[in-house]
Structures are given as C-alpha cells and as structure tokens.
Amino acid sequence: MLSEIRIESLGAISAATAEFDRGLTVLTGETGAGKTMVVTGLHLLGGARADPMKVRSGAQRAVVEGRFVTTDAAPDVTARVDELLESSGAERDDDGSVIAARSVSRDGPSRAYLGGRSVPAKSLSEFTGELLTLHGQNDQLRLMRPDHQRAALDHYAAVDAPLARYRTARDAWLQAKRDLEDRRRRTRELAQEADRLQFALNEIDVIDPQPGEDTDLVDDIRRLSELDAVREAVQTARSALSGDTDTVDAHSAASAVGSARTALEGTDDTVLKALAEQLDSALAVLIDVSGELGQFMSELPTDASALETKLARQAELRTLTRKYAADIDGVLAWAVEARARLGQLDVSEETLGELERRVDELQAKVVSAAVEVTKARVKAARGLSKAVTAELSGLAMSGAEFTISVSPLIARADDSAPLPMPSGDTVHAGHDGADAVEFGFAAHRGSDILPLHKSASGGELSRVMLALEVVLAASTEGTTMVFDEVDAGVGGRAAVQIGRRLARLARTHQVIVVTHLPQVAAYADIHLVVDSGAGRTKSSGVRRLDDDDRVAELARMLAGLGESDSGRAHARELLDAARSDREQTA
C-alpha cells in the first residue's frame, strides 16, 4: 500500500505531500492544476523514463518520494519484496515501511533510491511493480494490442506452469533444430575436412617417422659425407692408443703407460706406488677408448649406397615437415591432434538420422505443451468473457458483450519456428505459445461482435478496461491500483456505475483515481484536491478535504458552481446518495 507521496519541483508542483489510506482515494482539481504530475510521480517511482522537461522551471531537479507499507500484501508478494530489498541492500524504516525515491536532474541523469540505497531504475521498477499498478489512457490504447490482450488472458488463466513447460520444450527443440540445420549445412565441409585429415595421417603412417629421427639423420649424413676422413682419424687414434693396426710401429700409448706403471710398481717407495695406481686407471681408460674406436670402425658402412639411403630418408621426412610442422616431433604431435579431430568429425548418415529423430521427439513435446497452453486459454477465455460482460452490465452497458477468441497463430511462409499441429495447421511457435488472442466487443445486443479496436468508443473502452481490471483484481489483493482519468468520455448513469465499481474494488485494494467526474469522486473514502497557486509561480499543492470542502469541490465539478446554494445542494445530494449506496452494498 502507498501511504504517502512527496513531490518537489515536478511540473506545476513546487512542493506537495499527499497521504493515502486504505479504500478509494480520488484526486481532483482544475485542469492544469497538476493532477497529472501526481500520476507522473508514481510513474517515476515505477521506473518510467525520466523526462528533464518535467522539472519545474527555475529548479535544478525534481524529486519524488513514496512510502510503501507491505503488511497488507499477499505472502508471496511480501516474500518477493523482501528478496528485492535484501539483494539491493535496502532497509525498511523504523515503522516497517519502505521509502522509494527518484530524482530527475535538468542537466544530468536521473537517480533511483530504495530503502536508503542508490539502486538502478530497474530495481526500483521491480519493487514498485509488486505493489503498484498504474492505469491511464495510454493503457487503454495498449489494451488494443494483441500481446496485452494475451497477457490479460494469461493473468486470468494462471498459465504460468504450462507456459513454463512449453518454453523449456521450445528452447530445447529450437536448439536441436539449429544443430541439425548446421550439421546438414556443414556435411560437405566436414566430409572434405575429414578426407584431408585422413590423407595426411595415411601419408604420415606410410613414412612412419620416429621421434628425433630428422636430427639423427643430419649427424649420420654428415658422417657419411666425410667417411674416408673419419675412417683415417679412427685408425690413427686407435694405433696411437693400442698399436692394434696393420701399419703401426711398435710404440703405443697403452704400451708406454704399461711400462711406466711396471717400473713404478717395482720400487718400495709409497709415493711411487701411489702414482703407479693412477697409471693403472689411465691404462684402463686407454684400453676402453681403444675398444670403442674399434667398435665405431666396425660399424662404419662399407657400401657407398648408404649415404644415398640416408639422403632419400631425409627427403621423405622433409615432405612431412614442409606440410605439417617444423620438425618431426612437431609432425608427430600434429598427427595426435588430427586423429582426435577426425574422431569428432562424425559425418555418418546414422548421426544425421539420430539428430533428426531427436528434433522430432522434441517437436512432439512442444506440440503437447502448446496444446496444453491452448486448452487452458480457451477455458479461461470463456470464464473471463462471461465475467467481463457481467461487469459491463453493471457499468450501464447491459446490452454489451465482451468476447475473447483463441485461435492458431498461423505460421508465415518464411516463419522461423513453424510447428505442425495435430489439427493440420502449421503455427508459429512463439515465446508465449502458438495462440492468437483477440478481444471482441459489441456495444449493443444484436450488433456484430468486432475486434475491440474497431468497435469500442473512448468511453466504452474505459469501461471495458475497468471491467477487466475488476475481474482480474482478485489475484492481486492488497496491492495499490492507480487509475488516471480512465473514466474519460463517460458521464451520467455510467459515471455512477464506474464510481460504484471502483468503490467495490477498493474493498480489497488500495485504489487511487484521478478523475473529473463528480459521480466518481462522491464514492471516495478520501478526497484530495490539487490546487493551483496564485501569482506568477502558480505552484500547486495537494490538500485533503473535509466534508464541507468535499461538497464545495463536488459542486465545482458538477457545474463550476462551488459557491452557489443550488450547486452545493446538488453536491450534497450526490455525496449522500453515494454513501448510502456504499452502505447498502457493503
């Protein structure tokens, strides 16, 4: 419930505070006095776009502050409000109320505040959206739109659960369709990639490179290219070490070291004996090196074609390093990655068929869910049509008829989500289902029922919207409903009926109405008037009327005769009749 609103420097209002209570509150005043600015302030609290042009002339910014009480709200609403407050870091006031505020700068951005914390305008909108519903003449125009008509029906039908199942199934179906279309589109491309990878792997497998083989080949080829010089070096070194060659002289390093060791060992000197042991180790090294040189010599190729074989192998390896990596180790790593990628490129008909079957299965689930949503809407359409027609009868439109048609939303030729239905129709599977919802209306018995936007006048549309709100209000008990001149174009007996319906709605809701109709104002529990000030500034204020002031204001609204005895008598009669009517229908 909205308990108070404070406005500074907004339009015609310099500074004003209005207090509200349960029941029906009306706002009246002369045209241009600033009644609309009160509603504009509420829209700002609802997160509406801030218009710097609405800042009062001479002021740098406008401020709107509202105090909300949630004790009368439904438990689920209170829970959501508490969650929003906690997530925003907002706090309740000492009395448990929540203060929401919005400032609009003439030169800069607007600011939103909730529970003493600066928040995004969206967060403010989410908070007030739980507690406040605004209805103006623009809402009557929105009521013409198919999406708003569907939303109103869904609100009555309570299709949240089946609609959620439909949306989940639809999202999965559309994703599977995209996967299938992508697979079909890329089948040739994937097949070509698979062929290229397979060819490369076959080429690598045939050559069968070994890790580090290209580096080893470089050393082998260099050695083979200098084979004679290498052989001569080995022979010379081996002869020098051990003399074990065909062309050696009698002296060798091994024999010389052996003679020296024998000479030293033949003495009794401990130092010389120690040196002899060191020569023994040196002799062992000479013998080992000589043996390895002999092994190396035996492994040197004797066939001149060995070099050609190594060069041919090197050429094979280079065909791989030119294509796949800088060296053979890189080629082998590329082959591992290529085999993994090839395993992912499943272009078989079996895989394509499996995807097609999954799309069909998900499509069947979407169809089933869409049918469930349609059934709920069709059933609700009958109940809502009957209830609104009954309300229209109470609004001095006894011969009017309100209808709701639910029909398939036929898919276009280029539809992005065509869905074949059991009925044979191909519908558009939209985010909100596969149904087209349309409100129909006939103002008089026997008239053809036409779409609402073609058949209702401004006054009739006002009453249709009010009747719809009265019926739908059952599920929003405890919230605040604001009506901004929704009674435009209405007068006489119809105006009395609108006042009566608003008073009835105020039994379960806080209702705030901006009106020019005295018949509506007479039904109010609280009557606020917006007075335009005098002088050049013409600052408006909001004041609460007592019983005598209400009579004067009603007389002014009746015929501009606020000070005449006849006008006041007429106003008193209207006020007493409204009170009596409310007591009888309580």
Side-chain angles (χ1 to χ4, degrees):
M1 182 182 78
L2 177 67
S3 64
E4 183 182 16
I5 186 171
R6 184 176 64 85
I7 299 174
E8 292 181 7
S9 302
L10 185 65
I13 299 177
S14 175
T17 299
E19 295 183 355
F20 302 95
D21 207 335
R22 296 176 178 82
L24 175 60
T25 300
V26 297
L27 276 164
T28 65
E30 294 282 2
T31 300
K35 300 186 300 300
T36 302
M37 287 301 103
V38 177
V39 178
T40 298
L42 291 174
H43 276 289
L44 286 172
L45 292 179
R49 187 181 68 85
D51 183 1
M53 298 300 293
K54 295 292 177 64
V55 178
R56 182 174 171 80
S57 178
Q60 290 302 310
R61 65 172 186 164
V63 178
V64 180
E65 187 177 280
R67 183 182 294 273
F68 292 87
V69 177
T70 62
T71 53
D72 291 342
D76 59 329
V77 172
T78 303
R80 289 194 295 271
V81 166
D82 289 340
E83 184 178 346
L84 283 168
L85 293 176
E86 182 177 357
S87 63
S88 302
E91 298 180 354
R92 293 180 180 273
D93 210 353
D94 293 340
D95 59 357
S97 63
V98 181
I99 297 177
R102 187 86 179 273
S103 68
V104 182
S105 173
R106 179 178 295 280
D107 302 320
S110 68
R111 303 288 183 187
Y113 304 90
L114 182 62
R117 292 297 182 93
S118 177
V119 297
K122 182 179 179 182
S123 297
L124 190 63
S125 174
E126 290 174 352
F127 169 76
T128 55
E130 294 288 347
L131 304 171
L132 193 65
T133 305
L134 300 168
H135 300 282
Q137 296 185 53
N138 289 335
D139 294 277
Q140 297 179 25
L141 298 178
R142 285 197 291 270
L143 189 60
M144 305 285 199
R145 291 166 44 181
D147 57 332
H148 279 259
Q149 294 179 3
R150 188 206 63 251
L153 176 61
D154 286 353
H155 181 75
Y156 181 82
V159 296
D160 289 350
L163 193 56
R165 288 192 291 272
Y166 163 81
R167 287 170 176 164
T168 300
R170 174 181 177 269
D171 289 345
W173 171 60
L174 290 178
Q175 183 59 55
K177 276 172 62 71
R178 285 191 291 269
D179 292 344
L180 178 59
E181 290 168 0
D182 180 67
R183 176 62 66 123
R184 285 172 173 166
R185 184 175 59 254
R186 298 188 59 210
T187 293
R188 178 176 299 177
E189 176 187 339
L190 294 176
Q192 290 173 348
E193 183 182 357
D195 286 345
R196 288 193 299 270
L197 291 175
Q198 190 61 62
F199 175 85
L201 291 171
N202 289 341
E203 184 178 29
I204 294 171
D205 289 343
V206 168
I207 295 177
D208 192 22
Q210 300 303 310
E213 184 180 1
D214 50 344
T215 303
D216 294 340
L217 272 177
V218 170
D219 294 337
D220 291 345
I221 290 171
R222 182 183 300 112
R223 186 179 302 124
L224 289 171
S225 299
E226 303 171 352
L227 184 60
D228 291 340
V230 169
R231 183 179 283 112
E232 182 179 354
V234 172
Q235 288 175 340
T236 301
R238 190 159 179 252
S239 175
L241 291 174
S242 62
D244 187 17
T245 65
D246 295 336
T247 59
V248 298
D249 55 26
H251 302 285
S252 69
S255 62
V257 171
S259 299
R261 181 193 64 179
T262 302
L264 293 175
E265 284 181 339
T267 68
D268 293 330
D269 189 284
T270 56
V271 174
L272 295 179
K273 284 184 177 293
L275 292 174
E277 290 179 359
Q278 293 182 33
L279 289 176
D280 190 50
S281 298
L283 182 60
V285 170
L286 292 174
I287 293 172
D288 289 343
V289 171
S290 178
E292 291 181 14
L293 286 173
Q295 180 67 27
F296 184 83
M297 177 72 77
S298 66
E299 292 176 354
L300 285 176
T302 57
D303 187 356
S305 65
L307 178 59
E308 295 180 2
T309 301
K310 296 287 185 180
L311 289 172
R313 179 62 176 172
Q314 188 180 52
E316 287 182 333
L317 297 182
R318 282 177 176 171
T319 62
L320 301 181
T321 56
R322 279 197 307 268
K323 295 180 181 180
Y324 308 116
D327 55 32
I328 289 301
D329 287 346
V331 170
L332 294 173
W334 183 91
V336 172
E337 295 177 1
R339 292 185 198 282
R341 172 61 177 163
L342 188 61
Q344 298 171 357
L345 296 178
D346 186 357
V347 293
S348 64
E349 290 295 328
E350 291 79 6
T351 301
L352 198 62
E354 184 178 343
L355 278 175
E356 290 173 344
R357 286 190 294 274
R358 173 162 175 76
V359 170
D360 290 342
E361 291 172 359
L362 291 173
Q363 179 175 290
K365 290 183 179 180
V366 177
V367 169
S368 176
V371 168
E372 184 181 4
V373 172
T374 299
K375 287 181 178 178
R377 284 173 172 163
V378 169
K379 180 179 179 181
R382 292 193 292 266
L384 184 56
S385 298
K386 184 177 180 181
V388 172
T389 298
E391 282 295 328
L392 289 174
S393 179
L395 291 170
M397 297 178 69
S398 58
E401 184 176 1
F402 178 80
T403 64
I404 304 175
S405 65
V406 180
S407 58
L409 187 60
I410 302 300
R412 303 184 303 272
D414 59 344
D415 201 282
S416 60
L419 183 67
M421 299 296 287
S423 62
D425 294 321
T426 299
V427 300
H428 171 67
H431 178 72
D432 296 300
D435 304 313
V437 176
E438 185 175 70
F439 288 176
F441 178 74
H444 307 286
R445 187 175 288 108
S447 301
D448 293 334
I449 296 176
L450 298 174
L452 187 63
H453 67 278
K454 294 182 178 179
S455 55
S457 65
E460 290 166 345
L461 191 59
S462 297
R463 282 178 278 180
V464 169
M465 182 174 147
L466 179 57
L468 191 61
E469 287 299 331
V470 169
V471 175
L472 296 179
S475 61
T476 59
E477 185 171 337
T479 59
T480 299
M481 306 185 75
V482 180
F483 295 92
D484 180 19
E485 298 187 16
V486 293
D487 49 17
V490 178
R493 191 165 61 92
V496 173
Q497 295 299 331
I498 288 177
R500 179 178 294 161
R501 282 299 183 274
L502 289 170
R504 193 177 80 180
L505 187 61
R507 296 174 188 169
T508 54
H509 297 70
Q510 182 189 38
V511 180
I512 301 172
V513 181
V514 177
T515 183
H516 286 289
L517 296 180
Q519 297 94 328
V520 173
Y523 277 86
D525 297 295
I526 300 170
H527 191 150
L528 304 177
V529 65
V530 181
D531 291 322
S532 58
R536 293 177 59 189
T537 58
K538 294 185 177 179
S539 175
S540 297
V542 181
R543 60 188 177 91
R544 185 167 178 167
L545 303 182
D546 59 19
D547 195 58
D548 287 341
D549 288 337
R550 284 191 72 183
V551 172
E553 175 64 8
L554 290 176
R556 181 198 65 77
M557 296 173 70
L558 281 166
L561 303 174
E563 300 302 323
S564 71
D565 292 339
S566 60
R568 293 177 67 87
H570 191 184
R572 171 61 69 181
E573 181 182 2
L574 181 62
L575 187 59
D576 291 342
R579 287 173 174 170
S580 176
D581 187 25
R582 293 189 62 175
E583 291 173 359
Q584 292 176 8
T585 57

